[in-house]
Amino acid sequence: MFSKGVALNLSIAELKQRYRTRDRVIHAMAGKGTIRAAVVVSTATAREAQRRHQLEAVGAVLLARALSAASMMASFLKGEERVIVEAKGQGFIRTVYAEALQTGEVRGFVEYNPSVNGQTTPLGKGILQVRKILYNKAEPITGIVALSTGNITTDLAHYFWQSEQIPTGVRLDVTLDSTKEIECSAGILVQALPGADARELRYIYDFLSEIDSLCELVKAGYNAEEITRQTLPGDVEIFSSTPVDFFCRCSKERFKALLLSVGEEEIVRMRDAGQNELVCQYCGERYYLEANDFEELLNQLRSARN
Ligand SMILES: [Zn+2]
């Protein structure tokens, strides 16, 4: 009566557990439309990012925070609109980059600073830049603030106030396990829109300052929607609940299309030098060009010239 499938090997309890532990971002409103919030649990995404880029603890934590932030900000957008959160500094970390689509795809990376030796400050002096790529705008909307702490959390709250003039409470919590790998990553953004009630904001502020970390709630078994309902006062309206995954749209074909722009001479040089490895900066995926790939690229360039 049942066809054999992978899903049948899992019990209902396991399926429920799997559903609960799937990363998810919630976009919600409270206070009759005066309080806008997003909550994300991004543990699997942050863990995947750490694994793909083989990050040490500090880089993994900062990237986890940026991935949470971008996912939450993207939840306020539509369809394929996207947000890029990028911190650039002069410490031992040079770049923390996270990009998220409203659809729940998120990717990102960390760049270390090769010229800095013995520097213990991760980002140090620098900037936080937020770019939104929206359907009805020809150019990305860009906001830049100076890094105030370099922990991403405070910097993001600062960005919302400075650049968008929206009072915003931000928590981006991450815990590591004993092997310095991401154990939990979760975040919340709460924004006071015009007409927001001071008492309701106080309630949210008190709640968020009482808990040490959102990861306490995650470890206690709360999912993103439950954290949302627990945090926001009164009637909570859930606008969207979107699964979040580390996902990059790169492919060997896309890389080959990009390579066409470097020209025939350079492609011949790469082929002859045996440089056939292409690494995606965003997701760490590696692609290898075979002899026939080089041939195809050169044929394309030569036929375009004729
Ligand atoms: Zn990629």
Side-chain angles (χ1 to χ4, degrees), residues 35-232:
I35 296 169
R36 177 165 76 167
V39 171
V40 69
V41 175
S42 57
T43 305
T45 306
R47 221 178 257 164
E48 179 70 6
Q50 182 178 26
R51 186 192 68 77
R52 281 178 168 271
H53 297 296
Q54 299 175 356
L55 301 175
E56 48 67 60
V58 178
V61 167
L62 289 178
L63 181 56
R65 288 189 190 140
L67 291 167
S68 285
S71 304
M72 290 192 289
M73 292 175 74
S75 79
F76 298 153
L77 306 180
K78 299 189 287 275
E80 305 255 308
E81 290 184 338
R82 62 185 204 274
V83 173
I84 296 166
V85 175
E86 188 173 19
K88 287 182 170 290
Q90 294 164 2
F92 73 84
I93 289 176
R94 187 163 63 183
T95 310
V96 180
Y97 177 103
E99 178 177 356
L101 274 72
Q102 188 275 338
T103 52
E105 287 175 25
V106 55
R107 63 181 184 171
F109 64 89
V110 168
E111 269 178 341
Y112 293 92
N113 198 342
S115 64
V116 170
N117 286 322
Q119 167 82 262
T120 52
T121 314
L123 279 161
K125 281 196 171 68
I127 57 155
L128 179 79
Q129 184 180 58
V130 174
R131 273 169 287 169
K132 294 182 192 172
I133 293 99
L134 307 176
Y135 284 144
N136 56 355
K137 300 274 191 283
E139 298 285 324
I141 297 177
T142 304
I144 299 175
V145 292
L147 290 177
S148 49
T149 59
N151 69 6
I152 309 267
T153 309
T154 317
D155 303 310
L156 195 68
H158 182 60
Y159 157 81
F160 279 113
W161 182 239
Q162 287 283 310
S163 203
E164 301 195 6
Q165 282 86 45
I166 306 174
T168 305
V170 182
R171 284 198 70 135
L172 303 167
D173 292 328
V174 183
T175 59
L176 297 167
D177 65 18
S178 57
T179 62
K180 303 271 189 229
E181 282 174 3
I182 300 283
E183 177 186 56
C184 164
S185 174
I188 185 167
L189 268 186
V190 184
Q191 302 195 307
L193 302 181
D197 183 291
R199 274 171 316 175
E200 290 188 329
L201 292 174
R202 168 59 55 179
Y203 167 91
I204 298 167
Y205 178 81
D206 288 345
F207 180 85
L208 290 177
S209 20
E210 267 168 34
I211 48 168
D212 281 339
S213 164
L214 290 170
C215 286
E216 285 177 16
L217 296 176
V218 174
K219 282 175 204 164
Y222 286 74
N223 63 23
E225 184 171 333
E226 288 159 348
I227 296 172
T228 309
R229 295 193 183 280
Q230 192 75 33
T231 315
L232 302 180

Side-chain angles (χ1 to χ4, degrees), residues 52 107 246-251 255 279-287:
R52 281 178 168 271
R107 63 181 184 171
F246 191 102
F247 188 84
C248 182
R249 296 188 179 189
C250 67
S251 66
F255 270 106
V279 183
C280 177
Q281 179 186 24
Y282 298 98
C283 71
E285 192 71 39
R286 281 158 204 276
Y287 299 98

